[in-house]
Amino acid sequence: SFNTSRAGALVVPGMPATAAEPELDLDGEQPRLKLVARSVVPSCPHQAVLALWAELMPELQQTVKWTDARATLLRTRWREEAVEHQWTCEDDGLRFFARLFRWCRKSPFLMGKTNPRTPGGTPFSLTLPWLTKAENWAKVQEGNFHPEG
């Protein structure tokens, strides 16, 4: 299970020590800081991810309302990938998201370049809120929307 430090960063048990956290002595002594054997996952830089989306996906819908629910989804995907890929800094995460967005660009379906399902309808096109939903995130990474070959 994962915990959050007082600064709001995710800490991963069993990873190399990188953060000082308070330790309370039960004998009544003053709290003191000690280095703990956990890694701090870089906090999700929401505005930087939104800016990256705008830069790499300018023809797609840009998110106007960044709600708490949307922020939670992005933060969750960020943390999952940070743990899996052992990011050590925010730039590691932003490089990952840039690669992911470029991967999405290779899909005609995700980019809105396929025929709509229903006559007279509009074709699907990717949005960041849609992408950050767990099931959609997995499908995109599995290549479900990319032509084979």
Side-chain angles (χ1 to χ4, degrees):
S1 80
F2 302 112
N3 298 315
T4 306
S5 72
R6 287 187 179 198
L10 182 70
V11 290
V12 183
M15 297 287 288
T18 59
E21 290 195 356
E23 175 188 73
L24 181 61
D25 185 326
L26 297 178
D27 293 331
E29 293 181 26
Q30 294 291 327
R32 60 184 183 268
L33 291 179
K34 75 171 192 172
L35 206 54
V36 294
R38 297 184 226 175
S39 177
V40 177
V41 171
S43 294
C44 179
H46 296 265
Q47 292 305 316
V49 173
L50 289 168
L52 190 62
W53 177 270
E55 176 188 337
L56 298 176
M57 311 296 256
E59 67 272 52
L60 295 183
Q61 181 180 341
Q62 301 301 308
T63 304
V64 176
K65 292 188 177 190
W66 197 242
T67 64
D68 288 343
R70 290 173 172 184
T72 297
L73 288 171
L74 177 60
R75 185 179 314 106
T76 300
R77 302 294 83 76
W78 177 276
R79 288 178 174 181
E80 290 169 352
E81 298 298 338
V83 170
E84 181 178 338
H85 300 288
Q86 300 181 355
W87 299 343
T88 59
C89 63
E90 187 178 288
D91 284 344
D92 291 341
L94 292 173
R95 281 190 294 274
F96 173 87
F97 272 78
R99 284 191 310 272
L100 179 65
F101 296 164
R102 287 185 189 104
W103 165 249
C104 290
R105 291 193 66 77
K106 294 179 181 180
S107 166
F109 175 77
L110 294 176
M111 296 304 294
K113 296 180 179 178
T114 58
N115 293 327
R117 286 186 184 180
T118 57
T122 57
F124 174 86
S125 66
L126 183 63
T127 65
L128 186 57
W130 181 90
L131 177 61
T132 57
K133 292 179 182 174
E135 189 63 21
N136 300 335
W137 186 264
K139 288 177 184 178
V140 167
Q141 290 192 344
E142 292 166 351
N144 290 2
F145 305 108
H146 290 73
E148 295 196 50

